[in-house]
Amino acid sequence: SVELRARPLSTLPLLEQAARELYLASEINKSEADVPDFQLQLHSGAHAKKLRSLKSDDLGKLVKVQAIVVNASKVVIKGRLVVLQCRFCGHEKRLAQEHGFSGMRIPVYCEARTARGADGCGVDPYAVVAEKCRFVDFQILKVQETSECIPTGEIPRTYRVCADRYLCDKLVPGNRVNLTAVYAINEFTYLSSGGSAKAAKLPYLYVVGHENDDVVGR
C-alpha cells in the first residue's frame, strides 16, 4: 500500500501487532506470553535501484536495491524493550528501542523525583533489569554495488545494512541480492581532534526482506 511504502517504520509494527492478535484470537487457551515474535518480511516487485541512485527523497521510505554482500558481522543481542530500575527507590522505567541503528538515552536522574536529600536519588541511579528486558538478534552487513552498476572510473558505493530477528544470519559475503529495505539515517555525535563535539549523519539500509541472486535469476 501507499502507507507502507511511504512510512514503513511506523506501519510494519502495526501489521506485526495485528498478526499477534490474530494468532492469539485463533488459539484456545493461549496467553500473551505464548504468542511468538512475528516478523513481516517484504518482497517488492518494483525494479531494483542502484545504490548510487538513492537520494534524500528516499529517506524513511521503502526501497529495493541491487547489491553484493561484502562483509557480515557476527549476530549479537540487542535490547528491543529495556527495563530500568532505580537502585535507591525502586522506580521502574521502560524504554523501547526503535528499529535499525537507533539508540536509547538512559535518564541521568530518577524520574520518580523522590526526596533523598538535595539530589534526590543522585546521578545515574538506573540499572538495567535484564530478566525483564526483551532482546532480539541483530546483525550488521556491508553491501556494495554490483560490477555492472559502477560507471567507468568510479569507486564502488558501499552501504551499511542492519538486519534483525529472523533476517539475521541469512546472507554471507559474496551473495548477490535484491534487498527490500528502509532507507534511513543514523545520527550520532563524536569528539573532533580539537575536543569539541561534532554531529554526523550516515545513511544506512534497514532490511525487511531479500532475494538471493539464484532466486531472482530464475
Side-chain angles (χ1 to χ4, degrees), residues 141-172:
L141 304 103
K142 184 178 180 181
V143 298
Q144 180 180 291
E145 291 178 299
T146 56
S147 57
E148 61 270 19
C149 295
I150 306 172
T152 303
E154 292 284 341
I155 297 175
R157 297 284 179 91
T158 60
Y159 271 87
R160 286 198 304 168
V161 174
C162 63
D164 60 19
R165 295 177 285 173
Y166 301 114
L167 286 169
C168 290
D169 231 3
K170 301 296 185 184
L171 299 173
V172 297

Side-chain angles (χ1 to χ4, degrees), residues 27-52:
E27 294 291 331
I28 302 174
N29 299 325
K30 291 287 186 180
S31 65
E32 192 74 31
D34 298 322
V35 180
D37 182 22
F38 285 91
Q39 181 179 20
L40 192 65
Q41 299 183 30
L42 304 178
H43 299 282
S44 174
H47 180 70
K49 287 187 172 185
K50 299 177 181 179
L51 286 177
R52 65 179 58 236

